[in-house]
Amino acid sequence: MTRISLSVNGVQHEADVEPRTLLAYFLRERLGLTGTHIGCDTSSCGACTVLLNGQSVKSCTALAVQADGARVTTVEGLAEDGDWHPIQQAFHEHHGLQCGFCTPGMLMASVGILSENPDPTDQEIRHALEGNLCRCTGYQNIVNAVLAAAEDMRSSAAAS
Amino acid sequence: MIPAPFEYERATSVAHALELMAQGGEDARLLAGGHSLLPLMRLRLARPTLLVDIGGLDDLKYVSGNGDAIEIGALTTHHEIADSHELGEACPLLTTTAAQIGDPQVRHRGTIGGSVAHADPASDLPTALLAMDAEFVIEAVGGSRSVAAADFFEGPFMSALGDGEILTSIRVPVSGASGVYRKFNRRAQDWAIVGVAALIGTDGGAISSAAIGLTNMGGTPLRAEAVEASLVGVSGADEVAAAAAQVADIGMPPGDEQASAEYRLHLASVLIRRAVGDVLT
């Protein structure tokens, strides 16, 4: 067992973990944060995407011990005080989901994209979402939602 | 799928990592970003008994240049390379190649040192580094050595890196040449069926120097030497296409479920033509 200490959605956690524990399983099974989905289990589909120190990563391809000392954000950490994050609002308004399985990963990857590029083009969003698969093939509305969230976040930033 | 059990140690310095690797024996493996190793461990194709985690060694995460050469710490991520203004100015082939690896999540975790040490012939960065005549700096308990990219890759997943050695940095000569990386795959984020790294110098509209690296055209990254020789002095599209066709000089590439050997040669020729064309236009 290896002792780890990490912040998840602003809450500090300490835990003893088996080194082979993958971050996705630690989040789901130890912390009960089942919003992080496990889809392909082979680093392809992106359903397990979380933010690690602010950057999008596939949590099925990171060991929990590698997140020692890190700041993790999962989909449960997006809303603040009951108010949806702009990306959640935009996915809701633009119907950026059908079955919803890929949605947590899509949301987290999109937050990652917008933190690096606040004003992406349609093509830039498609390229940056390469690591996230939607098997309902709802990509068009997902891209529309990310464009809308980007605009919303830019105007909020300008107003503040 | 969960990896088989292993012991885990966190290295606090390169010297500490070397010590841990020596204690761990031949089944100890280094863990950097884990984006080559962890997928293999999950499939149980790799079953190391000890993982020595060097991911926290921040002094292996840097880009520093002196005008003639740029040195890149082994733990620099693909994202940091793609995003580096300094590298973009000095080694555009490296930044454009790094930007095409996997997807953003993979680029946030995967490291240049890990990609080189893994020596997968389908990887993008080793090909670009071979075309740039990079050198790899390797630390061992007894001291350090430097190996040229042309001597480093020995076969699929085999390199000059010995047990208990650590690749700590990559040195790249600054040439002033233009760089383009082109790869072909059928689906986003797939490995390259074929990739081409082109480092092209021009003088008055004609090619004055050419280095062409090939991804997934053999057991190691390769240089298309006959193409390189034919490209020098060339300026027109027809001559570029004729030079690109010389890629057949490397012999037959592997055929697999993705592409036959003949199709790979065709793809390589087309990608060389397009990559060189990108520089000339």
Side-chain angles (χ1 to χ4, degrees), chain B residues 7-32 37 48-54 57 117 139-141 161-167:
Chain B
E7 298 293 315
Y8 172 84
E9 296 283 354
R10 206 169 277 137
T12 53
S13 65
V14 171
H16 184 218
L18 287 168
E19 192 182 311
L20 290 166
M21 288 296 285
Q23 288 165 8
E26 64 178 19
D27 290 326
R29 294 290 298 270
L30 290 169
L31 177 69
L37 183 57
T49 51
L50 170 69
L51 280 193
V52 175
D53 188 352
I54 56 171
L57 303 184
E139 301 281 340
V141 174
L161 199 61
D163 285 342
E165 288 190 318
I166 299 180
L167 174 67

Side-chain angles (χ1 to χ4, degrees), chain B:
Chain B
M1 292 164 286
I2 310 290
F6 53 86
E7 298 293 315
Y8 172 84
E9 296 283 354
R10 206 169 277 137
T12 53
S13 65
V14 171
H16 184 218
L18 287 168
E19 192 182 311
L20 290 166
M21 288 296 285
Q23 288 165 8
E26 64 178 19
D27 290 326
R29 294 290 298 270
L30 290 169
L31 177 69
H35 272 52
S36 297
L37 183 57
L38 291 176
L40 290 179
M41 289 174 61
R42 303 194 59 188
L43 295 169
R44 309 262 172 137
L45 294 171
R47 298 180 77 134
T49 51
L50 170 69
L51 280 193
V52 175
D53 188 352
I54 56 171
L57 303 184
D58 287 340
D59 51 346
L60 293 185
K61 205 183 249 287
Y62 62 88
V63 173
S64 73
N66 64 7
D68 296 329
I70 283 216
E71 184 161 318
I72 304 155
L75 287 183
T76 310
T77 63
H78 306 324
H79 172 76
E80 287 162 343
I81 290 170
D83 208 36
S84 164
H85 180 71
E86 184 179 4
L87 279 176
E89 294 281 311
C91 311
L93 177 56
L94 201 58
T95 50
T96 184
T97 305
Q100 294 177 54
I101 297 171
D103 54 53
Q105 292 97 315
V106 168
R107 295 195 289 272
H108 286 145
R109 294 293 290 167
T111 65
I112 186 170
S115 175
V116 170
H118 190 57
D120 184 336
S123 282
D124 303 307
L125 277 178
T127 304
L129 292 167
L130 179 68
M132 290 188 286
D133 290 320
E135 288 198 354
F136 305 134
V137 180
I138 295 169
E139 301 281 340
V141 174
S144 71
R145 66 188 178 116
S146 166
V147 179
D151 300 323
F152 183 83
F153 300 104
E154 297 178 345
F157 310 102
M158 289 185 288
S159 73
L161 199 61
D163 285 342
E165 288 190 318
I166 299 180
L167 174 67
T168 52
S169 70
I170 290 96
R171 287 194 194 125
V172 184
V174 175
S175 69
S178 301
V180 174
Y181 188 75
R182 286 266 197 159
K183 67 175 171 181
F184 183 82
N185 51 19
R186 290 203 168 83
R187 301 175 305 184
Q189 74 173 229
D190 265 354
W191 297 95
I193 295 173
V194 175
V196 165
L199 191 66
I200 304 292
T202 52
D203 188 6
I207 294 171
S208 55
S209 68
I212 303 289
L214 302 172
T215 301
N216 220 2
M217 289 289 284
T220 64
L222 298 174
R223 287 280 288 266
E225 291 169 6
V227 178
E228 294 173 355
S230 301
L231 280 172
V232 175
V234 157
S235 57
D238 291 347
E239 294 166 297
V240 169
Q246 305 270 329
V247 70
D249 190 65
I250 64 163
M252 286 306 264
D256 54 31
E257 70 279 6
Q258 296 246 51
S260 65
E262 292 79 7
Y263 183 49
R264 274 206 163 78
L265 277 177
H266 167 74
L267 284 175
S269 165
V270 171
L271 292 171
I272 292 170
R273 178 161 56 77
R274 288 180 184 166
V276 175
D278 285 349
V279 173
L280 291 181
T281 50

